[in-house]
Amino acid sequence: MTWALILGVSSGMGRATAVALAETGLNIAGLHFDTAARAAEADALRAELDRLGVKHDLVNANAAAHRTRAEVVPRLAELAGDGGLRVLVHSLAFGTLVPYLPRPGFPDGLTSRQLTMTLEVMAHSLVHWTQDLAAAGLFGDGAKIFALTSSGTTQHLPSYGAVSAAKSALESHVRQLALELAPRGVAVNALRAGVTVTPSLERIPEHAAFIDEAALSNPHGRLTRPRDVAEAIVALTAAPGSWITGNTIGVDGGELHAAGHAWARHGE
């Protein structure tokens, strides 16, 4: 199996993972949903993948849309051939950042449409893609599926409620898919990254204070980087079996469990 499919490939953890997997020799298929102003990011990634000598197929389309899956899955089946798909990475980070109840600046609070969209993009789309890829026979024994979650499932920010709900649903989907794909030898895990400076994080209104807090509490004395997450995916992909499955695995340098401890804040 020589191909990886990355949903959310052009920036942040998705991009770092594409490069790291390409460095191991995997060919890269990817979905990104960018405006013309951000087209340069995808072009730069293509140039990097060319430099690494792997095949690639990056598509600018809405990964949460049924039409996109209907077009991309057969295309990927043709590209991968008998080799199938080695890795699927779900790194979609488009959701609403609106408080549930009205407050200054948000006179209406969260709408049903906003909540439904956030859950569909950031959680349910993992199920839809897995269903379609499995139906196409693209997952063979030893394939790996990774979904990127966050500590927002157990912590809160004023504007993060809908995204937190989506990440919680995503982790639940991971456990169920792990159960159902185990007989096929396919491992499914969620990776809980530490606070990482990415375009999606910078859209959170409270991100500056959140970054400062994480930088103080992480025992490593720095924030998580996209490459840290990519390296975890590479390491787990290298495992031949599917015995590590159904988990939410922290990739945060000990940040979550160190938060609030004086020794972590002051380096003692």
Side-chain angles (χ1 to χ4, degrees), residues 7-154:
L7 308 178
V9 73
S10 64
S11 65
M13 298 176 200
R15 186 189 192 284
T17 300
V19 172
L21 289 173
E23 288 171 351
T24 73
L26 283 180
N27 301 314
I28 303 299
L31 272 291
H32 60 103
F33 197 31
D34 294 327
T35 63
R38 293 185 57 185
E41 294 181 5
D43 290 340
L45 176 57
R46 290 186 182 94
E48 180 70 2
L49 297 176
D50 283 337
R51 185 187 69 79
L52 292 169
V54 300
K55 298 177 182 178
H56 54 82
D57 185 34
L58 308 185
V59 179
N60 189 1
N62 180 4
H66 170 77
R67 179 177 178 179
T68 300
R69 295 195 310 276
E71 294 175 354
V72 169
V73 172
R75 179 169 166 170
L76 184 58
E78 183 176 351
L79 286 170
D82 294 336
L85 194 64
R86 174 67 176 168
V87 180
L88 168 64
V89 178
H90 185 281
S91 182
L92 299 180
F94 184 79
T96 191
L97 295 165
V98 174
Y100 286 1
L101 304 178
R103 73 179 193 208
F106 301 95
D108 299 322
L110 183 70
T111 67
S112 176
R113 181 176 181 180
Q114 289 170 326
L115 181 59
T116 298
M117 178 275 293
T118 302
L119 283 160
E120 184 63 31
V121 173
M122 300 188 72
H124 304 337
S125 60
L126 171 68
V127 178
H128 304 324
W129 274 99
T130 303
Q131 288 172 326
D132 289 358
L133 292 166
L138 283 167
F139 291 127
D141 184 67
K144 314 293 186 205
I145 299 174
F146 302 100
L148 300 187
T149 184
S150 76
S151 60
T153 57
T154 58

Side-chain angles (χ1 to χ4, degrees), residues 1-5 26 83-89 130 133-134 137-146 177-178 181-182 184-189 233 236-246:
M1 291 177 282
T2 59
W3 282 81
L5 172 61
L26 283 180
L85 194 64
R86 174 67 176 168
V87 180
L88 168 64
V89 178
T130 303
L133 292 166
L138 283 167
F139 291 127
D141 184 67
K144 314 293 186 205
I145 299 174
F146 302 100
L177 289 170
L181 287 170
R184 306 188 190 195
V186 178
V188 189
N189 290 288
I233 290 174
L236 289 166
T237 297
S242 57
W243 222 245
I244 301 174
T245 193

